[in-house]
């Protein structure tokens, strides 16, 4: 049975909730990613910030990304999956909550992230079809 750890992109990095959005954008550019998990002071997941969030929720509203923190944008209940979860559990989480990225946690630490690109490399055409139908509905 395939697990979350087997399909995730390893090497994901936290960004502290206290870090500014300009720093988040710089880290995204350096890592060539479009999203970063946001951590609290105890390195616990408190949300995700995306490149789109920075543009739509900050820049487009005339806010200064050097003054707005990642924590300011990390709203709602963060979703994550255990490294030993099955692909079916991954899909259930992503489809149920209509999310496109899912942090993978092991022993309370971030070990990776699963994106749509990761799913496309590991799922059958039927599984991808069902995922797209449910997430983008």
């Amino acid at each position: 049975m395939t697990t979350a750890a087997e399909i995730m992109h390893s090497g994901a990095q936290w960004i502290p909730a206290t870090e500014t959005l300009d720093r988040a954008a710089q880290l995204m550019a350096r890592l060539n990613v479009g999203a970063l998990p946001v951590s609290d002071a105890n390195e616990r997941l408190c949300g995700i910030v995306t490149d789109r969030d920075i543009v739509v929720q900050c820049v487009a509203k005339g806010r200064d990304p050097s003054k707005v923190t990642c924590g300011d944008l990390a709203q709602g209940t963060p979703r994550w999956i255990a490294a030993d979860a099955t692909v079916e559990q991954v899909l259930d989480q992503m489809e149920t909550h209509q999310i496109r990225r899912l942090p993978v946690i092991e022993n309370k630490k971030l070990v990776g992230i699963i994106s749509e690109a990761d799913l496309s490399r590991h799922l059958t055409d039927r599984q991808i079809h069902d995922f797209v139908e449910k997430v983008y509905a």
Side-chain angles (χ1 to χ4, degrees):
M1 193 175 327
T2 306
T3 66
E6 292 172 306
I7 67 169
M8 73 182 187
H9 172 80
S10 60
Q13 291 185 22
W14 295 113
I15 189 150
T18 55
E19 194 61 80
T20 58
L21 296 179
D22 61 335
R23 295 291 199 180
Q26 292 164 5
L27 182 57
M28 286 180 197
R30 192 172 84 238
L31 298 174
N32 194 30
V33 298
L36 294 170
V38 179
S39 69
D40 64 15
N42 298 317
E43 290 195 354
R44 305 284 303 256
L45 181 67
C46 64
I48 291 181
V49 65
T50 67
D51 48 6
R52 186 177 191 284
D53 293 334
I54 294 169
V55 171
V56 173
Q57 298 299 321
C58 180
V59 177
K61 292 183 177 180
R63 299 168 74 189
D64 183 350
S66 69
K67 305 233 184 300
V68 179
T69 67
C70 293
D72 293 335
L73 295 190
Q75 308 271 322
T77 304
R79 300 290 170 193
W80 56 273
I81 197 86
D84 62 353
T86 66
V87 170
E88 289 74 21
Q89 291 169 316
V90 168
L91 289 171
D92 182 60
Q93 275 288 318
M94 294 176 84
E95 291 168 357
T96 299
H97 301 288
Q98 293 188 310
I99 55 178
R100 296 174 183 96
R101 298 171 184 93
L102 188 61
V104 180
I105 307 292
E106 186 173 51
N107 298 323
K108 299 182 182 179
K109 298 291 181 191
L110 178 70
V111 294
I113 194 161
I114 298 171
S115 69
E116 294 169 304
D118 298 313
L119 294 178
S120 71
R121 286 189 292 273
H122 293 92
L123 300 181
T124 66
D125 288 345
R126 183 69 196 162
Q127 286 173 308
I128 293 168
H129 174 270
D130 291 345
F131 170 80
V132 168
E133 193 172 68
K134 291 175 183 171
V135 171
Y136 290 95

